[in-house]
Structures are given as structure tokens and as C-alpha cells.
Amino acid sequence: MGVTAPVARRPAHTKRASRTGDRIMRGLCAAAGIVVAITLIDLAYQLSHDASPAIDKFGVGFLFHEAWAPNFKIFGAADMIYGTVVSSAIALLIAAPLGVAIAVWLAMIAPRRVSAVVGPLVEMLAAVPSIIYGFWGVIVLAPFIQKIEPGLHSALGWIPLFGAPQTTGISMLAAAIVLTLMILPIQASLCRDLFLTVPPELKEGAEALGSTRWEVIRGIVIPSTLSGVSAATVLALGRALGEAIAVSLVIGDANGIHANLFLPGATLAERIANQFPSPVNPLHTASMFYCGVILLAICLLTSLLARKIAGRFDVERRYARAAMA
Amino acid sequence: MSGVDHTAALGGDTPLFDPTAPLTATGNLRRRMFVSRLVDGSAGIAALVAVALLGIVLYAVVSRGAKALSLEFVFTNPQGLTGGGIFNSLLGSFEVVMIGAVIAAPIGILTGLYLTEFAGRRSRTGRMLTVALDVLQGVPTIVTGLFIFGLLVIPLHQQSGIAGAVALAIVMLPLMARASQEVLLLVPASLREAADSLGVARWRAVLTVIVPAAAGGIITGVILATARAAGETAPMLICNSIFNPNTTQLNPLHGVPNVPMLIYTAYDLAVPDALTRLWGAAFVLLLLILIANVGARLLLARSRAKMGGGA
Amino acid sequence: MTAVDEPIPTRVRIQTETLPTQLPARTREEFEIDAVRQAVFDIRDMSVHYGAKEALTRTTLKIYKNLVTAVIGPSGCGKSTFIRSLNRMNDSIPAFRLSGQVLYHGHDVYGPGVNRVEVRRRIGMVFQKPNPFPKSIYDNVAWAPRNLGLRSHLSERVERALRQAALWDEVKDRLKKSALGLSGGQQQRLCIARAIAVEPDVLLLDEPASALDPVSTAAIEDLILELKSRYTIVIVTHNMQQAARVGDRAAFFSLDLTENVGTLIEYESVETIFRNPHDQRTREYVTGQFG
């Protein structure tokens, strides 16, 4: 019953209005979230629905069948699964350690001013559209590969990977290299971000014990960010697995499973890019939707795996930033 | 440190080293310094390789594309296989990308807002939404194209700019949501607490205090995601690739010419002079993305400075 | 040997409440220090600049072997800058510049050809905020010795370091557990164990107990007194009682009010600084009249 009311007290009607306002805002935001969820669910549903003619006809055997003859309505994804795995694996094997090395340099070794220039440069590599990498691959890389194929074969021909040289450089090797170029900047900038999160006190403490910079990196920086670095690698792998356009230009869209990297091949994503616009028959289309389903499943797994191993690092959030550069 | 018994000095009086010796690397440290310097060098080489690769790719585009570049190139439509410019594709790309951004931005920003303001760290909905965003982010763009093909192209019996735009919107959505979330998280808690203690309604605080504080970063995220979408070929290939390449066509219900498809199909022609137009288009695309990137960075730096100094 | 309770000269009025009621019994001989004690650090005219700003001006003093030298003074007067300059921990700070000489056993720490890693190997440091590595307790202590090649009898080395740091009994059953699970006081003792596991020549302690509760603080002060026999110790502290308790000599730094730069005001034995300081500013500080 005091004369003056407390400052925070508001008349009843504005309290109601603010509660309504809160509810409206919350509702709008939640609706947005629901749209996201619905999109994802519909995506999975729509894809499976459109793939159903092929799924019904081929079942799981589709994954192991090594034939793709649209005119004969024979479809199997084994070639493409092989190609996807091989091209992405090679890209990852090169880009992962290289990316970590670059990240170490940017975060720990380079002088501040140099790192402030080179860091954004590496990030901008990630912003280059895949089609440009694809064209660079066709017009610059493939001829180059074709030139060095004989040399590689004579030097390393005992490894089945470097088999008989071909007439063009359009090959699995070209695809692997293009993919390496595409995932390298993502790996590098993600890992650099992670290394920079290591508290300076930790690094100082290690230095104060008389450790060399490499010992600090090896003993403190990398172990404490290991889960994040692993998740980043998985995300980079996911990016490579799903890349369609760049690969479609340099891999040749050919059937067959070969060890020889100089031969053309196919991946799930690039086959869709190459053949979907001009299907021969509805089963052809459905089969490519089926490839899309497989691809979706693979990428779903990599996303979930990355989340799981990321631990306390929100790698996905950083990945969004790295992907946009 | 030769001659030092490393097993000694465990409680003994002889020190492990001679403190009066010069402060140079000896013995064990020589080797360790060598290893460390080796790492320094190798990592530097790795960085050099990355920059060199960027240089190689950029050089390829610039050297081949620059000679095609001219005002005429930008502002006229293609004539035949090799003549004219890329105006209709630029316009079409702009339209499709903008429609996509207009669809994606509100949903993305509101989603980011939900994650930071209304769903706590622990909440189940927050986590489920984050999972959904992460999975959506990992969906290959060609699969997104397939999705929209089934959703919009088949029912409408044709490919269209709007289908392409919706596909791009799905590609942009997780990026915008995450970018918004990141920036909103950076808004200092003190701002929220201050608004709360003044008895201001939550929604009002969000609209008038928090969002403006994060506006720079949010806009940056929107710009960057849009720039990225401009270069996405796969959704265009699947949903928006049937159009007359020589005329300006802006009706989104039909196929709309766009730059990625221009580049992608120009290659099929395998006519050498057509390649020039292709490289010119690639150069323009790269240039626009670069400008968007640099511009967004500057904007972000400015808004970060404001938020850091303002709070 | 003069008695502990010799009457304080009347010309100096010191509020006795602000002093510890009894300084610990020590040898009170007026000794010619240079003739008796080895100088580990001979700092001559040292000045520190961060870019254009001078942080510490023209400091000259000697740090003596097996003594605890306390660095006291109000905040912001360059104490941390001073101590961090002794083992080159300021090198990573941009625009850091040091002029003058910091001679360690006659060698200029900032001389050409000096290896920073070697400097820090001999001159260890414990920081204000405990910074244990995200590793097990054992690995925290064993990490640096492993790098240094001290792999034989590693477990004994770890145990001995932990015992010297008065932490062994509390952690001996959980050496493989993460160090991050220890309390603040335990973590700081772990950091001390980590530092002494490599048996440096000098131990620099930058306000090691300021982030800790009184019980942990007391434990660490006891520790310092024990470690004194093995190591030369320099400790920065804003706690005067602590300085008086553990220190043998004290260096009082303050801000030169006109220049706004840290300056060494007085450097004497602890008894002199606290009972009979020569400088008015020292007297004002130790009696709590400012700072």
C-alpha cells in the first residue's frame, strides 16, 4: 500500500500485451524451426518416393550390381559407390594432413600479420564455386595429367593404381585431385579455427617448461582439439562425397570398376548430374533417384558421425562459416 | 648436455645441467630444435602450396576470362554460340538467387533466433533442430535438386526459376541459420540482462536491442550465403536448366537463364570460341563472389567493432 | 646476532598493526651479500616498452642464489612485466621491447644466439591462474621431462616432484585421472610440481596464490620455504604479509606518478623493507597508506 510503486511494476494490460508479444515471437521462431524439420523430412520422403520404382525393382542388390545400361533397363550402383569411395578417400588422404599442416602454420607459426592475410585467402578458396574447379580441371588439369601419365606409369607402374596411360586425362585421378582442392580450404580453415580456441594460458604454461613450438603443438594444441579436428575431417569427407558438378566434368562418367586411376569412372553424385537431364526411360530416372537416396544416406551418416565425435566443439557451426567463406 | 647422467639428480645435489653454461641449444635440445624447425618449414610449405593452388586456379580464370570482359559482355545477350554477352544469365541468376534468399533469410534468421533466445542449451527441441540443420547442411546440392524436382518440377510439368530458387533456398537455409545463431550468441549477456532488469518484454528486447546489435553479422551471413548460392550449379542443372539461352526471360514459372548453367552447357558445345564466353562468365561470377566476400568481411568487422565497443 | 625484538628506531613511525606481529626467526647478520651469495640474475638498466609506451623503466638489481626475492608493489606497476622478462615470456607480446641487460649467470638472456627454449628450461615459471594441461595428473608432470629426454626413472621423478609440491598424498591414488578434476589449490600445486619436475635453476612465481583460498595459500607459502634450499625463487605478490613471510629480499616497484611508468623504488632485505625502509614511498606502501 505504498505511495510509490516499484519501478519494474507495469500496468496489467501491458503485461498481457508483452506476454502475447512474447508468444507471437516465440511462435514465429518455432514455426521457422518447424519449416526446417519439415523440409528435411519431406526431402527424405520425396526422394524415396521418386526412387520407389527402382527400389521396388532392384532392392538392396542395386548397391552391389555392377552394370548400368539404361537402354536395357539394367541399373546397378556398385561402380558409382566404388568411384565415390575411391575419389573421396584419395582426396581426404591428401587434404586432411595437408589441411592440418596449413592450419598449424596459420594458427601457431606464421607471424600475426602474415596469418591475417593468408588466412582469409585460404578461406576464400572455399568460396570458389565448384563449377570453376570443374572447368579448371577439364581445361588445365586433365591435359596435365595426360602428359604425366606415361611418366607416372613407368615410375610407379608396379602399383595397380598407376596402370596403363590413357588418351585423355579425364580420369579418377583428375576427380580425386579436384576434390582435394575443394575440401582443402574447408579443412584448413576449420582446423585453424579450432587451434585458435586453445587458451593462451595453456600454451604459455607449456612454453614456460622449456618446450619447443612443435612440442607445444604436438603435446597440447592438437590433443586438446583432436575431437574437433576429427569432426572437421569427417565434414570435409562429406563434402567430397556429395560433390557432383566438378567431378562430372573430369571423371568421364564411365562404367566399370578399375584399380587404374588413369581410367575414367563414375560417382553417385556425378552420374546424376550427367544423366538426369536426359533420361532414357522412367526406370532410368527412378534409378538415379535411388542413387540420390544412397547419397543422402551416406551424407546423413557423415553429418551425424561428425556431430557425435565433435565433442564440445560446435564444428558444424564453424563449418557453415567456412563453407560460405 | 653431454656427459650428464640423467638418472642422477633424483634428490641428488648435482643439477641436471650446468646453469652457468651459455644459453645455447646443446645436446638433446639441438635435436628438438631441429625437429621443431622442420615442422615450421613443412607447415609453411603446406601453406605455400595452398596459396599456390589458389593462385593457379585464379590465374586460369582471370587470364582466360579477362579478355572476354567488357561492358558489352556484361550488358548484352548472347548471339549465337560465340557472340554477345551474358546479360540474360546475369539477370536471371540475380532473380533466382534473390527469390531464394527472400525465402531462406526470414526462416534462417528466425531459426537462429529460436536457437539462441527460446531454446536453451539443454532443451530437446533446440538439439533436435540443430541436428536437423546439420543434416540439412550436409545434404549434397544435387540431392536437394532432386528433391525439388520431385516436389515442384514434376507437378508443374516443367523446370522453372522458382524451382531453382526454392532449391537454392534450401541450400542457403542452414548457412543463414547457423550464421545468425553465431552472431546472436556473440551479443553480450549483459545486454539481455539489462533489458530484463528494466522490465522490458522479451519480444521487445529481441526486436529493439538484440537483433540490432547482431544485425551486421546477420546481414553478413545472408550476403555470404547468397553469394555461395549464386555459384551453385547442381540445383540449376536439375530444376532450372531448360530455357532459351539467347533471350532475357524473367518469368520464374518457366526456366530462367542463369550463369552456372551458361558455363556448364557452354562447355558441351566444344567450340573453342564459346569457351571464351565461358571463361568470361566464370570470371564475372568469381568477381561477384569475391566482392560479396570482401564486402561482407568489412561489414562484419565494422559490426564487431561496434558491438565490442558499444556494450 | 641481534634479537628479534630489538626496539624499532623511534625516528620511523610504522603502524605495527599492519606488520606481521613477528617476523620469522632468521639469521640477522648484516652480511656483505655479494661476497657471500652468488648472483643468479644481474639486471642492469632494464627498461621495457610495449610499442611507444614504456612499462618499466631503468631497473637495476641482482637476484641471489637460493634466496626468495619478493617483488611487491601496487597493481599495474610492472611487477608481472618484470618477472616475465626474466625468462623471455614477454616475447610473444606484440611490440615488446627490452633495453638494458638481463644477465643470467653472466649471460645476457636477450643476447644474440640465445635459445629461448633453453632459457625457459633453466628458468621455470608458475602463473597466477593455475593452468593444468587437459591430461592426467601423471602426464601433466611427466610431459616436460619426457620432452627433455628424462625418461628413465620417470615415475620416480613424477612422484618426487609431487611430494616436493606437497601434493603426492592427495593424488597418489588417482594419477591417471584428469588434472582438471582437482581443486584450485591442488591444481596450482600441480603446476608447481610440473615446474620442478624438470629441476630448473630458478623458479619464477607470478602471484601463485592470489587466485586461491587461504588454506591453499598457506600450503603454497610453506612449499616455497622448503623449495628455497633447492631453487632460486622470485615471487611476485601483492600480499605484503606473504612477502614478509616467505621472502628474504624484497623489491618494491611503484608507478612513477609523473611518467606513469613502473619503477623500482627500493630493493633491500625484507626486514629493511618492512621495518626500516629508506624511501618514503616504500614506507607509505608497506604501512598501507596507499596502493
Side-chain angles (χ1 to χ4, degrees), chain A residues 138-199:
Chain A
V138 180
I139 297 193
V140 177
L141 182 66
F144 174 75
I145 288 180
Q146 193 234 337
K147 250 187 246 148
I148 65 172
E149 271 178 13
L152 278 175
H153 179 63
S154 53
L156 297 168
W158 50 274
I159 308 176
L161 292 174
F162 302 103
Q166 304 296 308
T167 49
T168 71
I170 299 292
S171 55
M172 185 73 76
L173 180 64
I177 293 179
V178 166
L179 284 177
T180 307
L181 273 184
M182 291 187 65
I183 67 177
L184 183 63
I186 297 175
Q187 176 83 1
S189 36
L190 270 178
C191 291
R192 180 192 70 146
D193 262 9
L194 290 168
F195 294 152
L196 289 174
T197 64
V198 175

Side-chain angles (χ1 to χ4, degrees), chain C residues 54-72:
Chain C
E54 190 176 22
L56 202 61
T57 188
R58 308 201 70 161
T59 304
T60 299
L61 68 142
K62 290 187 186 180
I63 310 277
Y64 295 99
K65 190 171 162 66
N66 292 128
L67 288 187
V68 176
T69 306
V71 178
I72 59 174

Side-chain angles (χ1 to χ4, degrees), chain A residues 63 81 85 91-92 117 149 177 205 223 288 299 306 313:
Chain A
L63 293 148
I81 293 178
V85 169
L92 197 67
V117 166
E149 271 178 13
I177 293 179
M288 286 186 285
C299 291
F313 299 103

Side-chain angles (χ1 to χ4, degrees), chain C residues 158-172 185-190 192-193 196 216 218-224 226-227:
Chain C
V158 170
E159 177 177 338
R160 187 163 157 273
L162 286 169
R163 276 190 195 280
Q164 286 183 12
L167 192 58
W168 173 253
D169 287 325
E170 293 167 54
V171 302
K172 65 180 179 222
Q186 288 173 323
Q187 285 185 0
Q188 190 65 308
R189 277 178 281 152
L190 178 66
I192 294 177
I196 60 186
S216 309
I220 288 185
E221 287 176 6
D222 291 337
L223 195 52
I224 294 172
E226 276 184 43
L227 293 174

Side-chain angles (χ1 to χ4, degrees), chain B residues 58-281:
Chain B
L58 283 187
Y59 174 75
V61 176
V62 171
S63 65
R64 291 176 175 82
K67 53 179 162 225
L69 222 51
S70 64
L71 272 180
E72 185 202 335
F73 184 71
V74 173
F75 289 108
T76 54
N77 282 342
Q79 285 143 19
L81 290 178
T82 60
I86 60 172
F87 183 59
N88 59 344
S89 298
L90 282 175
L91 219 55
S93 260
F94 183 77
E95 179 189 44
V96 170
V97 167
M98 279 300 134
I99 297 177
V102 162
I103 299 174
I107 303 176
I109 298 173
L110 284 175
T111 304
L113 209 53
Y114 181 78
L115 285 174
T116 48
E117 302 297 322
F118 297 102
R121 265 291 157 100
R122 306 289 155 95
S123 85
R124 257 187 71 212
T125 35
R127 260 182 310 143
M128 289 199 311
L129 186 54
T130 313
V131 172
L133 276 178
D134 290 346
V135 170
L136 206 55
Q137 197 171 272
V139 173
T141 52
I142 193 137
V143 172
T144 308
L146 286 180
F147 166 45
I148 298 298
F149 187 89
L151 191 68
L152 288 182
V153 174
I154 291 181
L156 295 177
H157 300 296
Q158 65 177 13
Q159 302 196 5
S160 58
I162 193 82
V166 172
L168 286 186
I170 297 178
V171 171
M172 289 190 257
L173 181 53
L175 301 177
M176 290 183 180
R178 279 303 203 170
S180 307
Q181 182 195 23
E182 190 175 42
V183 185
L184 286 165
L185 282 176
L186 282 176
V187 173
S190 50
L191 273 182
R192 291 192 181 87
E193 286 162 14
D196 237 2
S197 66
L198 287 171
V200 173
R202 191 67 170 299
W203 66 271
R204 208 187 271 282
V206 167
L207 266 184
T208 57
V209 174
I210 295 173
V211 169
I218 292 178
I219 295 175
T220 305
V222 168
I223 294 177
L224 285 177
T226 309
R228 176 168 178 81
E232 287 294 341
T233 313
M236 297 295 112
L237 177 62
I238 306 290
C239 299
N240 185 26
S241 60
I242 298 180
F243 46 78
N244 182 332
N246 294 322
T247 57
T248 307
Q249 203 294 98
L250 288 178
N251 179 359
L253 294 175
H254 299 292
V256 176
N258 51 82
V259 176
M261 283 316 299
L262 173 76
I263 301 176
Y264 196 69
T265 54
Y267 173 68
D268 285 341
L269 298 174
V271 173
D273 284 336
L275 287 182
T276 317
R277 191 164 70 196
L278 177 169
W279 286 114

Side-chain angles (χ1 to χ4, degrees), chain C residues 97-166:
Chain C
R97 207 169 29 96
L98 183 140
S99 52
Q101 284 186 312
V102 178
L103 298 179
Y104 169 76
H105 289 295
H107 305 291
D108 189 352
V109 166
Y110 289 87
V114 163
N115 186 301
R116 259 206 306 256
V117 176
E118 183 63 23
V119 168
R120 291 159 182 173
R121 189 259 175 279
R122 304 192 194 177
I123 307 168
M125 184 168 233
V126 175
F127 299 84
Q128 182 173 352
K129 191 165 154 277
N131 54 3
F133 303 138
K135 298 176 186 287
S136 69
I137 293 171
Y138 183 88
D139 283 334
N140 258 272
V141 184
W143 184 70
R146 277 201 196 107
N147 288 340
L148 258 47
L150 303 168
R151 287 166 199 268
S152 54
H153 305 286
L154 190 58
S155 306
E156 286 100 319
R157 179 173 296 277
V158 170
E159 177 177 338
R160 187 163 157 273
L162 286 169
R163 276 190 195 280
Q164 286 183 12

